[in-house]
Amino acid sequence: MKNKNIFITGGNRGIGKGLVKLLGKDNNVVFSVRDKEKGEKTLRELRDVMVKYVLLDVNEIESISKAKQEIKMNMDYIDILFNNAGILIPEYEVPAFETSEDSILKTFETNTLGPLRIIKFLLELIPKGGRIINVSSGMGQLDDMEGGSLAYRLSKTSLNALTKILSIELDKRGIKINAICPGWVQTDMGGSNATLTVEESVEKIADFALNKEFPNGKFLRHGEILPW
Ligand code: NAP
């Protein structure tokens, strides 16, 4: 599939930037950043692809509303929405009982409520046949749950639940939604010891996103369905 209208949150670095770079070659891509400086810097770095950015913070409804108007100026509709923006707070290594409620709430706000807000606001632009990809994490997988990283794990397990719920509710609109784990990726969040480069990870994500076959209400890594 080519020439799709694609919107990606958190496109100025890491996996989001990798997706913008790869998908921007053959598609109409708009990505979000939190300030103009980051947007301009990303455009300079990705000068080989024709992409646009909008200013958006997933925690600020007014910014999402404004961004929606700007997205509409660049595309009549969205074929594929990537909820990629996310955070992993520095406190992530401490045990559950020592994790502050503030960290849990802040992480939930961005990683779980953020995607919900984006979908709620942009749904009007997503037609029948549209696709939504929530970038989740294996750290949110109940089937493989471990200790530590309480705030992040809770936020991603909840994002997975949100994905499942919306897959049922959006089915009648003909919109499909899945949660994916991008693998362990060399980004600011993943660190330098991660097993995948950004290029390796986004190639697999793009293959999945653009594939003729696209499931609904699943959790996947590299196109393979995972247990929740
Ligand atoms: P990253 O390098 O830390 O980049 C995170 C991106 O999210 C940045 O563009 C950041 O913008 C944006 N962002 C954060 N909070 C935001 C907010 N409130 N509103 C809008 N944008 C916001 O992370 P990454 O490794 O590329 O991760 C991307 C996604 O993959 C995340 O959802 C993450 O949980 C998931 N993931 C990553 C790995 C991994 O190994 N890297 C593994 C599993 C899942 P700023 O530059 O303005 O902060």
Side-chain angles (χ1 to χ4, degrees):
M1 293 205 298
K2 279 186 176 184
N3 301 320
K4 296 289 169 194
N5 292 328
I6 299 175
F7 179 61
I8 302 166
T9 63
N12 58 301
R13 58 191 171 100
I15 294 166
K17 184 176 163 196
L19 285 170
V20 175
K21 186 176 177 188
L22 180 61
L23 293 169
K25 287 180 193 161
D26 291 323
N27 301 279
N28 181 22
V29 172
V30 175
F31 64 97
S32 80
V33 294
R34 286 201 273 187
D35 64 58
K36 195 165 180 237
E37 208 173 292
K38 288 175 183 170
E40 293 301 319
K41 181 169 176 274
T42 311
L43 288 187
R44 281 196 301 277
E45 288 165 354
L46 302 180
R47 60 184 171 279
D48 294 341
V49 290
M50 283 290 293
V51 290
K52 299 255 171 63
Y53 72 85
V54 294
L55 299 181
L56 179 154
D57 187 313
V58 300
N59 297 329
E60 290 171 15
I61 291 198
E62 206 177 307
S63 83
I64 303 175
S65 178
K66 269 193 196 152
K68 179 181 173 180
Q69 299 314 317
E70 281 185 55
I71 293 167
K72 273 166 123 174
M73 289 196 277
N74 289 290
M75 45 184 69
D76 294 333
Y77 55 88
I78 297 172
D79 291 299
I80 308 174
L81 161 64
F82 283 95
N83 273 314
N84 165 75
I87 56 165
L88 175 64
I89 46 151
E91 210 184 23
Y92 70 97
E93 278 174 336
V94 305
F97 293 145
E98 289 165 35
T99 304
S100 71
E101 290 190 10
D102 190 45
S103 300
I104 295 169
L105 292 173
K106 273 194 183 132
T107 309
F108 188 82
E109 171 92 25
T110 299
N111 291 3
T112 315
L113 291 183
L116 177 62
R117 291 188 194 103
I118 297 289
I119 295 167
K120 191 169 159 185
F121 271 81
L122 300 187
L123 193 58
E124 183 195 305
L125 296 180
I126 306 177
K128 188 173 176 190
R131 299 176 172 190
I132 301 170
I133 294 176
N134 288 334
V135 182
S136 182
S137 168
M139 288 175 76
Q141 190 181 11
L142 284 171
D143 195 63
D144 191 31
M145 195 55 78
E146 289 178 26
S149 308
L150 179 75
Y152 186 75
R153 288 184 189 280
L154 288 178
S155 75
K156 294 296 189 179
T157 305
S158 301
L159 178 62
N160 285 359
L162 174 69
T163 305
K164 187 75 196 177
I165 292 163
L166 290 180
S167 73
I168 294 155
E169 297 189 4
L170 298 180
D171 188 48
K172 50 184 172 291
R173 289 176 177 251
I175 296 169
K176 292 182 175 175
I177 176 167
N178 293 291
I180 62 157
C181 169
W184 186 23
V185 191
Q186 292 157 18
T187 64
D188 293 340
M189 186 187 290
S192 55
N193 290 333
T195 48
L196 294 175
T197 63
V198 166
E199 290 72 23
E200 286 165 340
S201 173
V202 299
E203 199 171 311
K204 290 171 196 288
I205 297 173
D207 279 352
F208 169 69
L210 297 171
N211 201 294
K212 215 162 71 86
E213 303 298 326
F214 192 77
N216 188 31
K218 301 292 180 204
F219 181 39
L220 310 101
R221 182 186 293 121
H222 310 330
E224 300 290 324
I225 293 174
L226 301 170
W228 293 105

